[in-house]
Amino acid sequence: MAASLGSVSSLPPSLPTDVAASSFSRSPMSPPQVSVCFKPLYARALVSVKATSFNPTSEGVSENLVQKNGMDLKPSGPSALEMLKTSAADRYTKEMSSIIVIGLNIHTAPVEIREKLAIPETQWPQVIRELCALNHIEEAAVLSTCNRMEIYVVALSQHRGVKEVTEWMSKQSGVPISELCKHRFLLYNKDVTQHLFEVAAGLDSLVLGEGQILAQVKQVVKVGQGVAGFDRKISGLFKQAISVGKRVRTETNISSGSVSVSSAAVELALMKLSESSYANARVLVIGAGKMGKLVIKHLVAKGCKRIVIVNRNEEKVKAISQELTDVDIVYRPLSDMQESAAEVDVVFTCTASESPLFSKDNVQMLPPVGPAMRRRLFIDISVPRNVEPCVSDLETAELYNVDDLEEVVAANKEDRLQKAMEAQEIIFEELNKFEAWKDSLETVPTIKNFRAYVEGIRSSEFEKCMSKMGSDISKKHKEAIYDLSKTIVKKLLHGPMQHLRCDGNDDRSLSEVLENMRALNRMFDLETEVLLLEEKIRVKMERSQK
């Protein structure tokens, strides 16, 4: 597939902008690390917009774009969207939409920064709508986990889109823009695709090949379905990433023998136990969600015989106890959390609470642990954190969070690194296939407009023919002539349509397809670029009303 696609890197680079792109530099023989570098921003050729198309008094822009139901949609000040709609065309050049990811993850930002930007899953739809209400954002998606918070957008302008999303992130989190810029990473277009494919495949995780991230990518698609703004490009990107993640795990077995964040947490606690065994340890798990259930399973696998679970409701705990019949599972409500912590040696916290469950004062009030332990052990794998960091100042407590798991993720690393190299080959192949699909979308407006243009001629000529033949023509003959006109049009369109597609199934390059598109636009005066931009404006204005 790779040989049949015109390389995106062969496109002319855009002029330098005020936005620097950051990317991950990964060596196949070393764990994922981050290096920040300046990169050229790749963009499609800039296309000038015809001056007459944006004259506010001309027919190029419908009055419905300015007013609807008697309401004046124009803001009080000249917003970027209003300027784009009404200003003289010679002040603007058309910039093709870009896919951008703006994020912070375990490689670039400490947990105390990540937790401030964490977005609960229940808020993802609202965040998508808020992002798409920004002037230069067309589509959006959120991927927020304990190790990362990444926002994916399709932007009309790269630097304006980055500016708007960064300002939104700062406003929502309270983190100053200057601080965000120290820890964020920015990727564009093909680099975004490669990054998300690596994320879904488990190559960008703290633990190479960990499986939970694929489920989290699937959840992005599930939550985004039907949400305005989770549209064709972004949804297509995430759906393809899911396919890549499945294929990598099937063909490389990268997940076999690896540890997840939850199992690493259980391993870390085991390393800190004085007897290096869960046989006699008293254990409390707070939270029975996906992460909590995984922690419980790994505890059982390591020989833990009794586990106290604190959760909001008992249903999930009952389901877990029915599945794990070889261990004594005790349910306690949230109101008994402090009392339950007083009776155990090890506390795992893995809830979605946005405020700490344990403060320094709470922990200081707990009685001493049993004779087998020097200090009570807290393993906090939640983001935002469930245990206040100052708990580690106490002589009676020992606290670890998700950023402290490095010492246990070295297990089976060499084997997984070899499988990661195999996974990169799959990602490269899938990357080219996705880029071919995405690039083919550029010609969709031309295809639609050319079909409409030809269909308009066919319909007009058919009606003229019918009027000349009079009313004596039978229904059968009329249908035969109609079918003939449709067949002629279909056969005439076949050749041009084939030359406007770039789906990786032939030797046609992207540059050739785009040249065919421009030639068709010129020959038939389709003005696709103008119509496409007007459509984007219309969509933005409709969303602003909702």
Side-chain angles (χ1 to χ4, degrees), residues 225-475:
Q225 294 297 326
V227 179
F230 189 76
D231 294 331
R232 190 170 188 179
K233 285 185 180 179
I234 289 293
S235 65
L237 173 63
F238 273 83
K239 288 175 182 177
Q240 187 70 15
I242 293 170
S243 297
V244 172
K246 290 178 179 177
R247 185 180 169 195
V248 165
R249 285 168 173 79
T250 300
E251 297 183 22
T252 69
N253 293 320
I254 194 171
S255 295
S256 62
S258 66
V259 289
S260 63
V261 170
S262 53
S263 65
V266 172
E267 290 282 355
L268 177 61
L270 187 60
M271 293 168 60
K272 304 302 177 182
L273 292 175
S274 56
E275 296 182 2
S276 297
S277 169
Y278 281 108
N280 298 315
R282 300 176 298 171
V283 179
L284 168 65
V285 177
I286 301 177
K290 294 177 182 178
M291 189 72 79
K293 185 176 180 180
L294 287 172
V295 168
I296 294 164
K297 286 186 173 182
H298 288 297
L299 283 168
V300 173
K302 292 295 181 181
C304 190
K305 298 298 182 184
R306 185 177 188 273
I307 305 172
V308 178
I309 303 176
V310 168
N311 198 52
R312 292 185 185 278
N313 55 70
E314 193 175 358
E315 285 73 16
K316 288 185 177 181
V317 179
K318 283 183 176 179
I320 293 172
S321 61
Q322 289 172 1
E323 184 177 346
L324 305 174
T325 56
D326 295 335
V327 61
D328 181 16
I329 292 179
V330 180
Y331 165 73
R332 298 278 179 82
L334 273 177
S335 57
D336 290 351
M337 182 177 65
Q338 186 77 7
E339 179 184 339
S340 300
E343 300 171 355
V344 301
D345 306 310
V346 185
V347 179
F348 291 89
T349 60
C350 34
T351 78
S353 174
E354 296 184 38
S355 56
L357 301 178
F358 289 98
S359 66
K360 186 176 182 178
D361 291 340
N362 294 147
V363 177
Q364 202 164 18
M365 292 170 59
L366 296 175
V369 293
M373 298 281 291
R374 292 187 302 109
R375 293 182 290 182
R376 183 171 279 104
L377 188 60
F378 288 86
I379 308 293
D380 183 8
I381 55 175
S382 301
V383 178
R385 287 171 290 182
N386 287 172
V387 184
E388 287 185 347
C390 54
V391 167
S392 60
D393 297 334
L394 298 173
E395 292 184 0
T396 57
E398 197 170 351
L399 172 62
Y400 298 92
N401 59 48
V402 289
D403 286 359
D404 298 317
L405 301 178
E406 289 282 1
E407 59 182 299
V408 296
V409 301
N412 303 318
K413 180 173 287 186
E414 288 301 322
D415 180 51
R416 291 199 306 278
L417 283 173
Q418 179 59 41
K419 291 173 180 175
M421 294 173 65
E422 299 172 14
Q424 286 290 358
E425 296 179 6
I426 295 173
I427 288 173
F428 179 75
E429 179 183 333
E430 295 289 340
L431 174 64
N432 282 313
K433 288 164 63 176
F434 177 79
E435 289 298 308
W437 172 81
K438 179 169 67 71
D439 289 333
S440 70
L441 298 181
E442 304 292 350
T443 65
V444 169
T446 295
I447 291 174
K448 288 183 177 179
N449 289 332
F450 186 51
R451 283 186 182 277
Y453 173 81
V454 175
E455 173 58 23
I457 294 175
R458 185 209 63 78
S459 178
S460 175
E461 295 303 315
F462 174 75
E463 292 301 327
K464 287 179 184 179
C465 177
M466 291 299 100
S467 64
K468 289 179 180 178
M469 298 186 73
S471 58
D472 294 336
I473 185 173
S474 67
K475 181 180 179 181

Side-chain angles (χ1 to χ4, degrees), residues 202-222:
L203 302 189
D204 190 63
S205 300
L206 174 66
V207 183
L208 274 176
E210 70 106 349
Q212 191 174 7
I213 185 61
L214 181 57
Q216 291 162 336
V217 172
K218 290 179 180 178
Q219 198 63 18
V220 172
V221 175
K222 182 179 179 181

Side-chain angles (χ1 to χ4, degrees), residues 61-82:
V61 179
S62 170
E63 186 66 18
N64 291 331
L65 293 179
V66 182
Q67 291 187 337
K68 187 173 183 179
N69 298 329
M71 297 176 61
D72 187 357
L73 301 180
K74 292 186 289 186
S76 57
S79 69
L81 186 61
E82 183 68 15

